[in-house]
């Protein structure tokens, strides 16, 4: 693994204000990354803002330890690398961390170095038009991203496109319709250009189904949704001649 990918050409500047906001080194981006990287802080803030503790997020990330050797994993948007805590050095998987924000990619690279994960590919990518071939990955992770996308349904369709038949998508998102406090928080983040389109849990289920994800599962806790599903078709983990790369 090269440790760097997607260098064939720089993306054009993000067309939407939210992507531009996350691409800057600013207080909001740094604060989000600091909070999500520290469970002791994310849990109480999650209870206040979203009526949900964040323990299930970190538990889902920990499931990366169960991914079969040789698997190819896409993490988009990777943010500052919160999902990297689910990896251990030497795992025989291919891991691609992608984000539209150069600022967040730099933080993810630093987090990977801190954890001794040397074989991760970092890709500057727009989730609405990802630079990956069809059926390229066995698992797509998308934590805390859908509510930041101007067109989350298109993003879900792109995630499904790059999954192999039987491949899995797992993620989390803030959702609407969970009470006054979460609604106020969503409004504040929208005014700050940190949130874009915030759907409801049933919207996520519909987006997954339309994208070809069989039997999508969406579980809502407060204003936070956990979702997963597999792309229709027989599951096949890619057979790599070298057994995969060490992360």
């Amino acid at each position: 693994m090269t440790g760097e990918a997607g260098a064939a050409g720089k993306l054009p500047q993000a067309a939407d204000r939210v992507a531009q906001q996350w691409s800057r080194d600013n207080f909001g981006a740094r604060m989000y990354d600091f909070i999500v990287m520290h469970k002791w802080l994310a849990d109480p803030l999650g209870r206040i803002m979203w009526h949900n503790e964040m323990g299930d997020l970190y538990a889902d990330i920990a499931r990366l330890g169960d991914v079969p050797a040789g698997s190819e994993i896409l993490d988009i948007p990777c943010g500052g690398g919160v999902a990297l805590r689910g990896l251990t050095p030497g795992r025989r998987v291919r891991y691609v961390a992608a984000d539209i924000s150069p600022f967040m990619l730099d933080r993810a690279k630093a987090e990977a170095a801190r954890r001794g994960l040397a074989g991760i590919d970092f890709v500057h990518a727009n989730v609405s038009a990802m630079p990956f071939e069809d059926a390229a990955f066995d698992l797509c992770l998308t934590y805390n991203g859908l509510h930041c996308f101007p067109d989350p349904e298109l993003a879900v369709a792109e995630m499904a496109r790059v999954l192999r038949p039987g491949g899995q998508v797992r993620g989390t998102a803030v959702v609407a319709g969970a009470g006054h406090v979460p609604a106020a928080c969503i409004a504040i983040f929208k005014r700050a250009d940190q949130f874009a389109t915030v759907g409801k849990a049933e919207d996520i289920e519909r987006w997954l189904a339309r994208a070809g994800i069989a039997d999508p599962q969406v579980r809502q806790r407060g204003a936070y949704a956990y979702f997963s599903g597999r792309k229709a078709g027989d599951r096949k983990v890619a057979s790599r001649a070298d057994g995969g790369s060490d992360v």
Side-chain angles (χ1 to χ4, degrees):
M1 209 178 291
T2 64
E4 189 81 28
K10 290 185 177 180
L11 289 176
Q13 186 176 17
D16 62 286
R17 296 192 306 273
V18 174
Q20 292 179 31
Q21 182 73 5
W22 283 107
S23 294
R24 301 188 185 107
D25 180 355
N26 57 45
F27 176 80
R30 283 184 176 273
M31 181 58 68
Y32 162 77
D33 191 49
F34 182 82
I35 291 169
V36 78
M37 298 297 281
H38 296 87
K39 184 178 181 296
W40 60 266
L41 184 56
D43 270 344
L45 289 177
R47 286 194 298 271
I48 295 168
M49 298 170 64
W50 311 123
H51 298 168
N52 170 64
E53 291 188 354
M54 309 304 288
D56 286 352
L57 165 66
Y58 302 106
D60 194 79
I61 292 171
R63 293 170 58 201
L64 279 172
D66 301 326
V67 171
S71 296
E72 301 195 64
I73 304 166
L74 173 64
D75 176 4
I76 186 166
C78 66
V82 64
L84 299 181
R85 68 185 59 211
L87 299 174
T88 54
R91 286 295 308 281
R92 302 289 286 177
V93 298
R94 179 190 177 214
Y95 195 97
V96 178
D99 206 296
I100 199 170
S101 167
F103 170 68
M104 284 297 184
L105 282 173
D106 285 344
R107 293 181 74 90
K109 291 173 187 177
E111 179 67 9
R114 187 182 74 82
R115 292 183 174 275
L117 303 172
I120 294 173
D121 289 337
F122 295 95
V123 181
H124 185 201
N126 186 334
V127 72
S128 297
M130 291 191 282
F132 308 118
E133 295 181 357
D134 294 354
F137 297 96
D138 304 296
L139 173 63
C140 178
L141 305 174
T142 180
Y143 296 118
N144 299 341
L146 290 188
H147 51 267
C148 297
F149 303 147
D151 190 343
E153 183 171 7
L154 176 58
V156 169
E158 270 289 277
M159 294 173 196
R161 178 186 68 80
V162 302
L163 277 178
R164 296 186 174 103
Q168 186 181 40
V169 59
R170 301 204 315 254
T172 62
V174 172
V175 291
H180 297 297
V181 172
C185 291
I186 289 170
I188 289 169
F189 285 120
K190 281 188 171 183
R191 284 197 297 271
D193 290 330
Q194 289 189 297
F195 282 11
T197 302
V198 182
K200 295 184 177 182
E202 53 264 36
D203 294 323
I204 296 175
E205 185 174 1
R206 184 177 66 255
W207 299 335
L208 290 168
R210 286 180 176 174
I213 300 300
D215 191 25
Q217 303 294 313
V218 182
R219 178 170 55 91
Q220 182 175 349
R221 294 186 60 178
Y224 209 68
Y226 300 83
F227 56 89
S228 64
R230 291 193 180 277
K231 187 173 181 178
D234 295 331
R235 185 183 183 194
K236 293 181 180 179
V237 175
S239 175
R240 297 169 60 87
D242 62 357
S245 300
D246 290 342
V247 297

